[in-house]
């Protein structure tokens, strides 16, 4: 959930549109009502920072005749699958705080002009004249990140006079960039003018390439059913030929290979016969390579074994140890759950969409996994926040690999994976940037009934998880509604006594929620005696009483350790919690929270859960302090 556009932004945009309409009353600058509406709609989703609207800026070559200016990269040979590289800017006559360096990929991208119509960019809220920077930089840094740059501590004399005195001195700066294997060549471009008024000074002469663009990377696991005797492995490679996963005692399985293209992405609206492209179709597109999946079968629940993936032709991953989850119906399950995590740069760069808490959350959860305290993970919506800028998926997958390569990583779809106008999503905002669920479902195949029906259930240990899509039709008589109804009614509570219902958008939040969703789906929860409901979307942590129809039907009591305990022996209503505090910038709570809201925490973290047959205990772990800031127990005697 993001803040609405401010009044200032609306007034500013209205003024620009008015000027254009007066200056060009009968030209292509005149906005049709649908275009103007879309401009306002997209301005909220893109105008977060100057960098995020960089590709819509007017662009030209800087009027700089400096013959000494250079940009080069310090690296040993071709790029590895992940590394930090140093980019050096030198020969600068007058350093400026508006000087910056962008990493652009692929290296043959056109960064000087952008052919096409201004109308293609109106949906983003930008009304710049052409030319525009038409290929979005992967990341960027101001050269002032080097504290010696403006003070010109790194000087070099470029010209000496007849008397031996230096007549021309230039300045230099160095920047560190974190690079992962995105399969296409990259280049670095030196700009002046800041992000708001960029112009090109110079760029690297020779593109940088990855030593093995076909490397098998980013392996991540998911469960395919409740038996825990099979696990799906998904990974990314630049090679379309099938590869293998080798596991256990000499077993192997060949991968199925798929991909997606810009043609699979959604566009938003039409201007006459012209389809206005979304970021995913246009300046945000990056080739995803090929996505491989293979199912490892013949496994044992709650056990460990090693695996590796790849081929002799493209190379192999390192050997990784996996822990399978417990089978449905067994006694115990330890899992982590959170939403809205995304990713943040490891090099302090500006990137398209940054979720500042994600680094500490990943670090904390990685420690949990390495200590053997985790059977599975549930990430409930707003996964990478790529939102139409496809290279962001590679950086996200790289970030979660320490977790997702070792335990089952189950997901639910969120608004930033699916929603786009005229795409069939229930909510019609532009939140996916035109991805419309295609990259998400390709990277994270879940045990769903069909493509673009991203709901499913799975049992692990003593818990039955019902995972829905809040972004698809959930109204009465819809396919998903009937599925929810049937799935929860079929749970054998003697086998899995705990029923956990989860999806992305909440029913209850101090910051507001969709009343229609609450009124439609909440009766199903009560009728099927759901114990716990977990949602994301709102970027904080909030826990309710046992709630139904906005009223507390039961209040927890403190146990001997002072922990809130809900006794579901005589069931009253579900406990609901928002766990959307795993990365995106946090949202503050109102001063006058409703009475059903028992705990409210605006800190980054994740939830650690432990389920037995008799008790379901959850703890909110603050990822910065490692403290447990809230804990509660649901019991059945």
């Amino acid at each position: 959930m993001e803040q609405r556009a401010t009044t200032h932004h609306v007034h500013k945009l209205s003024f620009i549109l008015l000027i254009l309409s007066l200056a060009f009353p009968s030209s292509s600058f005149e906005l049709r009502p649908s275009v103007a509406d879309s401009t306002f709609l997209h301005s909220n989703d893109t105008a977060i920072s100057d960098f995020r609207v960089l590709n819509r800026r007017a662009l030209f070559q800087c009027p700089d005749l400096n013959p000494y200016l250079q940009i080069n990269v310090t690296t040993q040979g071709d790029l590895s699958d992940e590394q930090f590289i140093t980019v050096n800017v030198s020969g600068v006559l007058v350093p400026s705080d508006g000087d910056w360096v962008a990493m652009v990929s692929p290296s043959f991208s056109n960064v000087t002009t952008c052919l096409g119509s201004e109308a293609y960019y109106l949906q983003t809220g930008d009304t710049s004249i052409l030319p525009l920077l038409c290929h979005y930089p992967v990341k960027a840094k101001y050269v002032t990140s080097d504290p010696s740059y403006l003070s010109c501590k790194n000087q070099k004399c470029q010209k000496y006079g007849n008397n031996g005195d230096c007549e021309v001195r230039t300045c230099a700066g160095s920047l560190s960039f974190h690079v992962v294997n995105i399969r296409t060549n990259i280049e670095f471009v030196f700009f002046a003018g800041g992000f708001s008024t960029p112009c090109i000074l110079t760029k690297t002469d020779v593109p940088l390439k990855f030593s093995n663009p076909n490397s098998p990377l980013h392996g991540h696991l998911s469960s395919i059913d409740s038996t825990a005797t099979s696990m799906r492995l998904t990974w990314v490679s630049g090679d379309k030929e099938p590869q293998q996963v080798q596991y256990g005692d000499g077993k192997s399985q060949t991968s199925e290979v798929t991909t997606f293209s810009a043609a699979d992405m959604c566009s938003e609206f039409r201007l006459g016969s012209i389809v206005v492209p979304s970021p995913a179709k246009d300046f945000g597109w990056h080739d995803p390579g090929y996505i491989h999946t293979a199912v490892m079968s013949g496994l044992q629940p709650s056990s460990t074994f090693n695996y590796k993936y790849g081929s002799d032709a493209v190379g192999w991953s390192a050997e990784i140890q996996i822990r399978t989850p417990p089978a449905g119906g067994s006694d115990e399950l330890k899992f982590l759950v959170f939403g809205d995590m995304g990713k943040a740069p490891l090099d302090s760069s500006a990137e398209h969409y940054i979720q500042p808490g994600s680094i500490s959350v990943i670090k904390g959860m990685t420690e949990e996994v390495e200590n053997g305290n985790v059977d599975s993970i549930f990430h409930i919506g707003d996964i990478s926040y790529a939102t139409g800028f496809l290279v962001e998926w590679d950086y996200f997958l790289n970030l979660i690999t320490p977790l997702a390569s070792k335990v089952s990583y189950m997901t639910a779809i969120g608004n930033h994976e699916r929603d786009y106008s005229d795409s069939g999503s229930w909510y019609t905002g532009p939140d996916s940037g035109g991805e419309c669920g295609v990259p998400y479902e390709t990277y994270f195949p879940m045990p769903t009934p069909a493509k673009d029906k991203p709901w499913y259930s799975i049992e692990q240990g003593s818990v039955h998880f019902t995972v829905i899509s809040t972004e698809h039709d959930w109204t009465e008589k819809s396919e998903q509604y009937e599925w929810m109804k049937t799935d929860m009614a079929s749970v054998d509570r003697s086998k899995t006594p705990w029923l956990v219902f989860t999806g992305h958008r909440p029913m209850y939040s101090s910051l507001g929620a969709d009343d229609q969703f609450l009124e439609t789906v909440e009766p199903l929860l009560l009728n099927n005696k759901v114990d716990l409901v977990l949602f994301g979307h709102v970027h904080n942590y909030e826990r309710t009483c046992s709630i139904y129809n906005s009223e507390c039907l039961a209040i927890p009591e403190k146990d001997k350790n002072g922990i809130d305990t809900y006794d579901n022996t005589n069931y009253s209503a579900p406990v609901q919690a928002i766990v959307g505090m795993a990365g995106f910038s946090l949202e503050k709570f109102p001063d006058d929270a409703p009475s059903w809201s028992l705990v409210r925490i605006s800190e980054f973290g994740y939830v650690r859960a432990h389920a037995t047959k008799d008790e379901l205990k959850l703890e909110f772990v603050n990822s910065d302090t490692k403290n447990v800031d809230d804990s509660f127990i649901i019991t059945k005697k």
Side-chain angles (χ1 to χ4, degrees):
M1 186 171 74
E2 285 70 52
Q3 298 295 324
R4 297 295 112 197
T6 63
T7 302
H8 168 75
H9 287 144
V10 173
H11 287 169
K12 180 179 178 182
L13 188 55
S14 299
F15 176 76
I16 293 171
L17 298 180
L18 175 62
I19 294 299
L20 287 176
S21 64
L22 293 174
F24 304 97
S26 60
S27 74
S28 61
F29 282 91
E30 187 173 3
L31 298 180
R32 303 183 185 186
S34 62
V35 181
D37 292 342
S38 180
T39 302
F40 286 108
L41 187 66
H42 283 74
S43 65
N44 171 61
D45 201 58
T46 59
I48 305 298
S49 68
D50 289 339
F51 182 76
R52 288 192 65 191
V53 292
L54 182 64
N55 55 289
R56 300 107 188 172
R57 301 300 184 192
L59 190 69
F60 53 89
Q61 196 77 25
C62 299
D64 190 326
L65 302 179
N66 179 358
Y68 310 112
L69 199 61
Q70 292 184 3
I71 181 171
N72 61 73
V73 178
T74 302
T75 183
Q76 298 293 325
D78 293 336
L79 300 173
S80 64
D81 291 335
E82 180 180 11
Q83 70 179 90
F84 285 86
I85 61 175
T86 301
V87 178
N88 305 295
V89 173
S90 61
V92 180
L93 292 171
V94 183
S96 167
D97 58 8
D99 295 345
W100 58 283
V101 173
M103 172 182 158
V104 178
S105 179
S107 61
F108 52 79
S109 298
N110 184 352
V111 294
T112 56
T113 62
C114 191
L115 303 178
S117 168
E118 289 92 337
Y120 281 24
Y121 301 89
L122 292 176
Q123 63 171 310
T124 69
D126 184 88
T127 51
S128 299
I129 61 172
L130 296 179
L132 300 171
L133 178 60
C134 61
H135 195 90
Y136 195 87
V138 174
K139 54 174 60 186
K141 272 190 177 184
Y142 280 97
V143 190
T144 52
S145 297
D146 182 341
S148 67
Y149 181 63
L150 288 181
S151 61
C152 200
K153 290 183 178 179
N154 298 321
Q155 292 185 6
K156 182 178 180 180
C157 185
Q158 299 287 359
K159 182 179 179 182
Y160 291 92
N162 293 331
N163 60 0
D165 293 337
C166 185
E167 294 184 349
V168 180
R169 288 185 176 89
T170 59
C171 309
S174 295
L175 304 173
S176 178
F177 282 87
H178 176 234
V179 179
V180 301
N181 190 343
I182 54 176
R183 298 166 300 281
T184 53
N185 293 353
I186 62 176
E187 68 179 357
F188 288 89
V189 183
F190 184 25
F191 290 89
F195 295 154
S196 297
T197 56
C199 64
I200 296 175
L201 289 166
T202 188
K203 61 181 181 178
T204 46
D205 293 331
V206 180
L208 283 78
K209 62 181 180 179
F210 291 95
S211 59
N212 184 6
N214 294 330
S215 283
L217 298 169
H218 314 320
H220 50 282
L221 300 158
S222 60
S223 299
I224 67 168
D225 58 31
S226 302
T227 67
T229 58
S230 297
M231 295 287 288
R232 185 188 304 277
L233 178 69
T234 303
W235 68 96
V236 180
S237 171
D239 185 43
K240 66 180 180 180
E241 296 301 320
Q243 298 170 23
Q244 285 189 327
V245 56
Q246 297 180 352
Y247 64 99
D249 188 15
K251 296 179 182 178
S252 67
Q253 183 64 45
T254 301
S255 68
E256 296 181 357
V257 188
T258 188
T259 190
F260 53 90
S261 69
D264 298 315
M265 304 296 103
C266 292
S267 285
E268 187 177 10
F269 56 81
R270 293 179 177 271
L271 289 174
S273 60
I274 300 174
V275 176
V276 178
S278 65
K281 272 188 178 291
D282 192 23
F283 41 74
W285 172 254
H286 186 272
D287 193 321
Y290 296 91
I291 294 85
H292 295 250
T293 62
V295 174
M296 296 178 283
S297 58
L299 311 178
Q300 294 297 317
S302 301
S303 62
T304 60
F305 64 91
N306 293 341
Y307 73 92
K308 64 178 182 179
Y309 56 93
S311 71
D312 291 338
V314 303
W316 294 88
S317 72
E319 197 166 78
I320 304 166
Q321 186 176 81
I322 177 182
R323 177 180 175 83
T324 56
S330 55
D331 292 340
E332 188 177 20
L333 174 68
K334 297 177 181 179
F335 65 96
L336 306 179
V337 61
F338 55 89
D340 306 78
M341 185 174 68
K343 56 110 192 88
L346 300 181
D347 58 9
S348 73
S349 291
E351 293 182 351
H352 162 63
Y353 218 159
I354 294 174
Q355 293 70 51
S358 58
I359 301 296
S360 66
V361 170
I362 284 285
K363 183 178 179 181
M365 294 192 297
T366 299
E367 291 176 1
E368 301 259 11
V369 170
E370 290 176 347
N371 291 333
N373 296 329
V374 180
D375 296 316
S376 62
I377 294 173
F378 287 83
H379 185 166
I380 53 174
D382 285 3
I383 307 299
S384 74
Y385 286 94
T387 60
F389 295 82
L390 277 302
V391 75
E392 302 293 319
W393 279 106
D394 286 287
Y395 273 91
F396 172 78
L397 293 170
N398 178 73
L399 187 67
I400 68 167
T401 295
L403 297 169
S405 64
K406 296 179 179 179
V407 297
S408 175
Y409 196 95
M410 308 302 291
T411 59
I413 200 167
N415 54 301
H416 283 294
E417 285 75 59
R418 184 61 184 82
D419 295 359
Y420 212 71
S421 298
D422 298 326
S423 71
S425 56
W426 181 250
Y427 299 95
T428 58
D431 296 348
S432 78
E435 291 185 8
C436 302
V438 174
Y440 164 75
E441 288 194 284
T442 308
Y443 287 123
F444 290 95
M446 294 291 113
T448 59
K451 183 178 180 180
D452 203 27
K453 296 180 181 180
W455 50 84
Y456 64 94
S457 66
I458 196 160
E459 294 180 345
Q460 295 180 348
S462 55
V463 184
H464 179 101
F465 294 92
T466 298
V467 183
I468 73 158
S469 168
T470 55
E471 311 313 300
H472 290 73
D473 189 356
W474 32 254
T475 57
E476 279 193 78
K477 299 183 180 179
S478 69
E479 182 179 356
Q480 184 175 199
Y481 181 91
E482 293 300 323
W483 174 86
M484 285 188 277
K485 185 176 177 182
T486 301
D487 177 72
M488 289 188 285
S490 66
V491 179
D492 183 350
R493 303 303 281 268
S494 65
K495 178 184 175 186
T496 50
W498 303 110
L499 177 50
V500 175
F501 182 92
T502 187
H504 185 59
R505 295 176 187 258
M507 293 180 178
Y508 292 98
S509 167
S510 294
L511 296 175
D514 185 341
D515 290 339
Q516 184 184 0
F517 178 51
L518 174 70
E519 294 169 2
T520 303
V521 179
E522 189 183 30
L524 290 179
L525 309 182
L526 190 72
N527 293 342
N528 290 285
K529 296 185 177 180
V530 169
D531 297 290
L532 177 65
V533 181
L534 298 170
F535 291 117
H537 192 59
V538 181
H539 305 132
N540 52 39
Y541 173 86
E542 186 168 20
R543 171 165 62 88
T544 73
C545 56
S546 297
I547 190 171
Y548 182 73
N549 197 26
S550 301
E551 295 183 4
C552 290
L553 301 190
I555 298 292
E557 297 182 355
K558 301 289 185 183
D559 71 1
K560 62 181 180 180
N561 298 314
I563 298 175
D564 278 359
T565 302
Y566 301 80
D567 188 352
N568 276 16
T569 304
N570 295 312
Y571 181 82
S572 56
V575 180
Q576 301 216 14
I578 291 174
V579 293
M581 65 290 136
F584 199 97
S585 297
L586 295 166
E587 295 179 279
K588 295 182 179 180
F589 290 96
D591 295 331
D592 54 345
S595 59
W596 47 255
S597 177
L598 303 187
V599 178
R600 296 172 299 281
I601 302 172
S602 186
E603 299 286 349
F604 293 119
Y606 56 93
V607 169
R608 178 170 59 209
H610 183 194
T612 64
K613 291 285 189 180
D614 302 320
E615 181 180 283
L616 178 58
K617 181 177 182 179
L618 287 90
E619 298 175 318
F620 169 56
V621 181
N622 184 315
S623 60
D624 292 322
T625 66
K626 305 298 175 64
N627 295 331
V628 175
D629 287 358
D630 180 49
S631 60
F632 65 96
I633 297 171
I634 306 174
T635 63
K636 289 181 182 178
K637 300 176 182 177

